[in-house]
Amino acid sequence: MDIEVLTDKKLELEIVLHGEKHALCNALRKILMEDDDVQYAVYGIDHPLIGEPIMTIKTKQKKVARNSLKKAAEILKDQAEEFKSLVEQI
């Protein structure tokens, strides 16, 4: 996966997640929306077969959008490791 930054402002980050589909984007969006510092997190895929997701994150009052994304990625990583551990116990 490659991440291309389209907009990188303090309160707003817009990225393209090359090679990804809905699964990762939905998981990240859900975690971001649970963050009190995030005003909104959305993504869209223009074409269902060849489109790539563009995610936009907007934060509140002097919170850095890039930091919110990093925090969400760490939470998602921890959740994935926990799920993997549970699957291995089966």
Side-chain angles (χ1 to χ4, degrees), residues 31-72:
I31 293 168
L32 283 161
M33 289 306 298
E34 292 172 351
D35 185 340
D36 291 335
D37 294 334
V38 174
Q39 186 173 351
Y40 64 83
V42 296
Y43 79 92
I45 300 176
D46 289 339
H47 190 279
L49 297 177
I50 60 173
E52 295 187 304
I54 299 175
M55 178 171 277
T56 304
I57 303 161
K58 174 84 169 157
T59 53
K60 300 176 186 174
Q61 303 176 0
K62 300 182 183 180
K63 300 296 180 178
V64 180
R66 187 179 283 252
N67 292 345
S68 293
L69 177 61
K70 289 178 186 177
K71 181 177 160 184

Side-chain angles (χ1 to χ4, degrees), residues 2-17:
D2 288 328
I3 297 176
E4 177 185 347
V5 177
L6 300 177
T7 303
D8 189 7
K9 298 178 183 174
K10 183 174 183 178
L11 301 179
E12 184 176 347
L13 180 66
E14 186 175 36
I15 58 174
V16 179
L17 298 161

Side-chain angles (χ1 to χ4, degrees), residues 78-90:
D78 292 344
Q79 289 176 351
E81 288 173 359
E82 181 182 351
F83 180 70
K84 179 182 175 187
S85 173
L86 291 170
V87 169
E88 289 172 348
Q89 294 175 13
I90 295 176

